[in-house]
């Protein structure tokens, strides 16, 4: 380390009182937020193992397991898994339990991830590396879709999906999710723009066509961003409430299903069962986040940040 | 295709054709999708906002003279017991919440993580929890905590706070404020990644120079970090404000629209469940107003934000 940098580091370490006050204030704020999230999570896990009587007597006492035996510790989880949501579609009864809801969530995640890996990277790549007539139109479309609040178009969209007979089918998810023009294109476009065009020229000299160049040379170089956006897409889709609520009314995912479990839990005065379902739902995204948090943190940036 | 240099003379035309074919194959479906689901659906919304609805069916053809629905949006104070103007005010009230509270707090936290304050790794993980966990889970836990017998309600009761009957979410005077508190609590999380990532690109030399000049951390935050990541802040603010107009989930899950907690997004969401209902004309008109007013606001805010600091090269 050079003398200059060492001296600077020493000066940086000698913090002034104003820095200390600033640090303390920000740290206190972060601590309050952090502990509220941790407490919420601990409360959820702890309550999911308590009996309803114990919980109703004192909600906050998270270590009160009075009347609880080890053999009955997982009763709330058993009840959550044995819960069945029932409805009727075209005069036929439909029953979906928590396993079915988890399966529906996985199907939804699979479809959305498949589309997230196909469309935005490809559009981002051609936006970054090719000049073509509709480039400005695509940029305008992305800006419009990000900036103009079009919540009102939900009604005609539902009517359209209804009219082509795709509502309550997985095809509606594929059709609606396959657009590709959005924030993802901007992220990929910026990423591919930073990769030298020499790679494309070299692959052409070796006889590769455009598709081969993209799939074999350029796409693998974007894998860090692909992984990060896939993880974010997984979390977003798994937690998505409104899309399955509107377009998959007879295939409840775990996000919409916990609403039904929560309603049953309220009726039965058995909130611990709801907490068990909530924890089951959360555990999937938490595991994924724990595995990929570093990749997410290092790959995301938006807004034309120069660096 | 100027960016990709041609490798051999004579193959220019055929290469250009292959490039055009490749680009066309890649962008064709996204453009068609945009034309159907953005242009098409919004045009339908616009046209139908000028048509009268009776018994769930549109009665007349589109004409600009038929602006009854638009007038009803302003004149009628009540749509299906969902207070209309209050919904507009509620939706608009979230804008200062995002711009003046959520974004500044997120920036402060991102800065602390960027400057590696004590326990920054711990905070980086825990502060991101609301993004990882579903809004459904957060709403359910919060709902129970501030409900009539919830532990927060009981705690506030013990310390002498005036607790409304039915808890903070079950009262006309407190329900909306409670939802706003919930939004602040959970709203600082998502953008932490983007701000931290943008700050991470700032050269250490810049910070080092500021330290040598004797600038405090707060001064560096205000005068160096914020201007340097301003394009990111602008993008996040605009997308955040745009999302506010469709904001409905906390209202849907915490109060189901009761106790004066309706928002514009909630009205559209509720009526969208029944796309043959009698309120469709009004909902279309509201959609048009949201899109027009929202777009004007978006571009005005964008211009305003961009006027503070220009793009910084570093």
């Amino acid at each position: 380390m050079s003398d200059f940098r060492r001296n600077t580091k020493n000066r940086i370490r000698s913090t002034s009182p104003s820095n200390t006050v600033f640090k303390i204030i920000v740290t206190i704020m972060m601590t309050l937020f952090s502990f509220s999230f941790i407490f919420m999570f601990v409360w959820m896990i702890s309550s999911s193992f308590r009996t309803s009587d114990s919980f109703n007597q004192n909600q906050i006492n998270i270590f009160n397991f009075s009347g609880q035996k080890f053999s009955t510790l997982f009763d709330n989880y058993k009840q959550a898994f044995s819960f069945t949501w029932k409805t009727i579609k075209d005069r036929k009864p439909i029953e979906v339990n928590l396993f079915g809801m988890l399966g529906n969530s996985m199907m939804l995640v699979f479809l959305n991830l498949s589309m997230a890996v196909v469309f935005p990277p490809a559009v981002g790549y051609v936006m970054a590396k090719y000049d073509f007539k509709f480039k400005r139109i695509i940029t305008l479309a992305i800006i419009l879709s990000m900036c103009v609040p079009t919540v009102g178009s939900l009604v005609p969209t539902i009517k359209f999906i209804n009219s082509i007979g795709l509502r309550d089918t997985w095809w509606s998810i594929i059709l609606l999710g396959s657009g590709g023009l959005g924030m993802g294109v901007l992220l990929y476009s910026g990423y591919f723009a930073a990769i030298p065009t020499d790679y494309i020229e070299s692959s052409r000299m070796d006889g590769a066509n455009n598709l081969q160049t993209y799939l074999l040379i350029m796409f693998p170089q974007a894998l860090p961003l692909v992984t990060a956006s896939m993880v974010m897409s997984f979390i977003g889709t798994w937690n998505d409430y409104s899309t399955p609520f509107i377009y998959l009314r007879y295939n409840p995912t775990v996000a919409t299903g916990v609403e039904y479990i929560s309603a049953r839990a309220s009726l039965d005065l058995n909130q611990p069962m709801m907490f068990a379902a909530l924890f089951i739902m959360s555990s999937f995204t938490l595991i994924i986040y724990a595995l990929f948090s570093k990749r997410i943190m290092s790959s995301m940036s938006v807004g034309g940040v120069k660096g | 295709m100027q960016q990709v240099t041609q490798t051999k003379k004579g193959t220019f035309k055929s290469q250009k054709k292959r490039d055009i074919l490749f680009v066309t194959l890649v962008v064709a479906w996204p453009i068609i999708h945009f034309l159907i689901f953005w242009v098409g659906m919004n045009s339908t919304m616009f046209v139908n906002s000028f048509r009268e609805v009776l018994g769930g069916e549109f009665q007349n053809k589109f004409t600009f003279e038929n602006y009854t629905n638009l007038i009803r949006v302003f004149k009628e104070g009540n749509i299906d017991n969902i207070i209309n103007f209050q919904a507009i005010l509620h939706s608009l009230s979230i804008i200062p919440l995002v711009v003046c509270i959520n974004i500044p707090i997120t920036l402060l936290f991102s800065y602390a993580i960027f400057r590696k304050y004590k326990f920054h790794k711990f905070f980086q993980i825990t502060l991101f929890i609301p993004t990882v966990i579903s809004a459904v889970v957060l709403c359910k836990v919060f709902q129970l905590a501030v409900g009539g017998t919830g532990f927060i309600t009981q705690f506030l009761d013990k310390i002498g706070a005036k607790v409304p009957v039915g808890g903070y979410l079950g009262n006309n005077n407190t329900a909306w404020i409670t939802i706003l508190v919930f939004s602040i609590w959970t709203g600082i999380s998502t953008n932490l990644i983007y701000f931290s990532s943008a700050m991470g690109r700032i050269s250490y030399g810049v910070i080092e120079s500021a330290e040598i000049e004797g600038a405090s951390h707060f001064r560096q935050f205000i005068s160096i970090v914020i201007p340097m990541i301003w394009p990111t802040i602008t993008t996040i603010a605009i997308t955040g404000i745009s999302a506010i107009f469709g904001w409905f989930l906390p209202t849907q899950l915490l109060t189901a629209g009761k106790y004066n907690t309706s928002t514009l997004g909630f009205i559209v969401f509720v009526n969208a469940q029944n796309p043959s209902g009698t309120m469709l004309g009004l909902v279309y008109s509201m959609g048009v107003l949201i899109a027009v007013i929202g777009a004007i606001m978006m571009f005005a805010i964008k211009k305003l934000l961009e006027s503070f600091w220009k793009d910084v090269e570093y």
Side-chain angles (χ1 to χ4, degrees):
Chain A
M1 190 187 282
S2 68
D3 286 347
F4 171 75
R5 177 156 282 200
R6 197 178 300 121
N7 291 340
T8 312
K9 284 237 166 183
N10 287 338
R11 289 187 68 162
I12 289 168
R13 277 194 203 108
S14 58
T15 49
S16 65
S18 65
N19 280 352
T20 311
V21 171
F22 179 71
K23 275 185 185 180
I24 289 171
I25 292 171
V26 177
T27 308
I28 288 172
M29 284 171 71
M30 288 201 293
T31 308
L32 287 174
F33 272 93
S34 283
F35 277 96
S36 70
F37 298 142
I38 291 169
F39 179 77
M40 172 205 74
F41 205 67
V42 172
W43 188 49
M44 182 171 76
I45 297 170
S46 160
S47 302
S48 72
F49 291 106
R50 295 174 69 186
T51 61
S52 54
D53 287 344
S54 155
F55 180 81
N56 291 332
Q57 275 171 17
N58 189 347
Q59 288 185 9
I60 194 70
N61 191 351
I62 57 175
F63 299 111
N64 179 11
F65 291 95
S66 59
Q68 183 70 285
K69 293 173 188 166
F70 186 76
S71 58
T72 58
L73 206 58
F74 294 96
D75 275 5
N76 295 320
Y77 286 86
K78 285 179 193 167
Q79 283 179 35
F81 274 112
S82 63
F83 168 84
T84 306
W85 175 72
K86 294 173 185 171
T87 189
I88 292 171
K89 184 192 178 190
D90 301 333
R91 295 181 185 175
K92 287 178 187 169
I94 291 175
E95 293 187 357
V96 186
N97 59 20
L98 191 54
F99 284 112
M101 292 168 189
L102 289 167
N104 287 336
S105 284
M106 283 175 188
M107 181 68 177
L108 191 67
V109 165
F110 171 74
L111 292 175
N112 274 335
L113 290 196
S114 305
M115 288 178 290
V117 83
V118 172
F119 293 102
V123 179
Y125 169 66
V126 298
M127 291 285 286
K129 295 297 178 190
Y130 292 83
D131 275 336
F132 54 96
K133 270 185 181 176
F134 299 113
K135 202 170 179 176
R136 282 190 176 179
I137 294 175
I138 292 178
T139 310
L140 182 71
I142 293 169
I143 292 169
L144 280 174
S145 59
M146 281 171 64
C147 293
V148 180
T150 55
V151 60
S153 66
L154 181 65
V155 183
T157 307
I158 293 174
K159 287 188 93 151
F160 175 69
I161 296 289
N162 255 342
S163 68
I164 55 175
L166 294 185
R167 196 172 183 193
D168 304 319
T169 71
W170 295 104
W171 289 107
S172 63
I173 303 299
I174 295 171
L175 186 62
L176 291 166
S178 62
L181 297 186
M183 179 80 96
V185 173
L186 294 183
L187 283 168
Y188 283 108
S189 177
Y191 199 93
F192 281 118
I195 299 173
T197 310
D198 300 0
Y199 284 106
I200 301 174
E201 290 171 8
S202 303
S203 72
R204 280 188 179 172
M205 286 171 80
D206 290 341
N209 61 32
N210 283 315
L211 187 63
Q212 287 169 327
T213 304
Y214 168 63
L215 289 178
L216 302 175
I217 308 294
M218 298 303 278
F219 185 79
Q221 296 193 61
L223 276 181
L225 180 59
V226 172
T227 313
S229 62
M230 294 276 276
V231 172
M232 292 305 285
S233 184
F234 177 96
I235 292 170
T237 307
W238 187 269
N239 292 339
D240 185 13
Y241 175 84
S242 47
T243 308
F245 187 82
I246 295 168
Y247 297 107
L248 294 172
R249 290 172 299 177
Y250 301 103
N251 296 83
T253 61
V254 71
T256 47
V258 290
E259 254 299 77
Y260 307 132
I261 295 176
S262 164
R264 167 67 69 79
S266 296
L267 277 176
D268 297 348
L269 291 176
N270 186 11
Q271 303 297 358
M273 181 183 82
M274 180 191 80
F275 281 116
L278 295 180
F279 179 61
I280 292 164
M281 181 189 176
S282 308
S283 55
F284 284 81
T285 47
L286 281 168
I287 290 168
I288 292 289
Y289 175 64
L291 291 174
F292 294 99
S293 59
K294 269 192 177 176
R295 180 59 60 83
I296 300 172
M297 296 292 176
S298 62
S299 301
M300 293 288 188
S301 64
V302 292
V305 181
K306 310 286 193 300
Chain B
M1 320 293 164
Q2 294 156 357
Q3 280 161 289
V4 181
T5 318
Q6 296 309 304
T7 53
K8 286 180 187 173
K9 280 186 180 177
T11 59
F12 183 83
K13 275 191 176 176
S14 60
Q15 182 60 47
K16 197 171 183 181
K17 275 183 186 173
R18 284 199 290 269
D19 286 349
I20 291 170
L21 180 68
F22 178 67
V23 170
T24 309
L25 285 174
V26 170
V27 301
W29 174 244
I31 290 177
I32 293 169
H33 189 277
F34 178 78
L35 290 174
I36 295 172
F37 287 101
W38 201 92
V39 179
M41 295 304 132
N42 285 303
S43 305
T44 309
M45 173 182 76
F46 180 78
V47 169
N48 284 343
S49 71
F50 289 91
R51 295 170 71 190
E52 197 181 343
V53 187
L54 281 174
E57 293 297 323
F58 288 99
Q59 298 298 308
N60 48 12
K61 285 183 181 175
F62 163 76
T63 158
F64 278 117
E65 290 168 10
N66 203 342
Y67 44 80
T68 349
N69 290 324
L70 277 171
I71 290 172
R72 280 179 68 197
V73 169
F74 284 105
K75 278 194 172 175
E76 290 188 14
N78 198 311
I79 298 176
D80 275 354
N81 296 321
I82 298 166
I83 295 170
N84 202 3
F85 283 111
Q86 201 166 48
I88 296 171
L89 283 177
H90 283 166
S91 288
L92 293 177
S93 71
I94 305 169
I95 294 176
L97 184 101
V98 168
V99 175
C100 303
I101 299 176
N102 277 354
I103 288 181
I105 292 177
T106 314
L107 278 167
L108 262 182
F109 290 0
S110 305
Y111 180 66
I113 290 166
F114 164 63
R115 292 304 302 259
K116 296 186 168 51
Y117 284 1
K118 268 191 179 175
F119 311 117
H120 68 277
K121 282 190 177 171
F122 166 78
F123 288 129
Q124 193 172 18
I125 292 167
T126 53
L127 291 173
F128 203 61
I129 286 176
T131 302
V132 180
I133 293 178
S134 166
V136 181
V137 175
L138 294 168
C139 284
K140 288 294 158 199
V141 174
F142 185 79
Q143 190 180 38
L144 213 57
V146 299
T149 57
F151 72 84
I152 292 178
T153 311
Q154 286 175 1
F155 171 75
L156 290 171
D157 190 31
K158 273 185 186 171
I159 62 169
K162 196 180 172 186
V163 176
V165 181
Y168 289 94
L169 284 169
N171 182 281
N172 283 347
N173 297 324
T174 56
W176 177 246
I177 294 167
T178 311
I179 288 180
L180 290 182
V181 171
F182 172 80
S183 305
I184 294 171
W185 181 55
T186 56
I188 55 115
S189 176
T190 317
N191 299 325
L192 211 64
I193 286 185
Y194 296 118
F195 291 147
S196 299
S197 179
M199 288 177 191
R201 290 178 174 216
I202 297 173
S203 161
Y204 185 73
V206 178
I207 301 296
E208 212 170 28
S209 309
E211 294 280 354
I212 292 164
E213 295 293 327
S216 68
H217 283 199
F218 180 69
R219 183 75 183 164
Q220 289 171 38
F221 174 63
I222 296 293
S223 304
I224 297 173
V225 174
I226 288 183
M228 289 186 93
I229 67 157
W230 194 247
T232 304
I233 298 173
T234 307
T235 308
I236 296 295
I238 288 166
T239 49
I241 293 166
S242 174
I244 281 164
F245 292 96
W247 192 91
F248 77 95
L249 206 54
T251 293
Q252 159 82 3
L253 294 174
L254 291 173
T255 60
K258 293 176 197 164
Y259 310 113
N260 296 343
T261 57
S262 186
T263 63
L264 289 173
F266 180 76
I267 292 177
V268 175
F269 179 77
V270 165
N271 285 282
Q273 303 307 307
N274 180 18
S276 55
T278 52
M279 291 299 162
L280 272 192
L282 286 177
V283 175
Y284 280 130
S285 297
M286 283 188 73
V288 171
L289 284 175
I290 292 170
V292 172
I293 295 170
I296 293 168
M297 279 180 68
M298 285 304 103
F299 285 104
I301 291 169
K302 187 174 182 287
K303 284 281 168 203
L304 181 74
L305 290 175
E306 283 174 350
S307 68
F308 285 138
W309 284 289
K310 302 290 175 194
D311 277 12
V312 185
E313 296 282 352
Y314 59 91

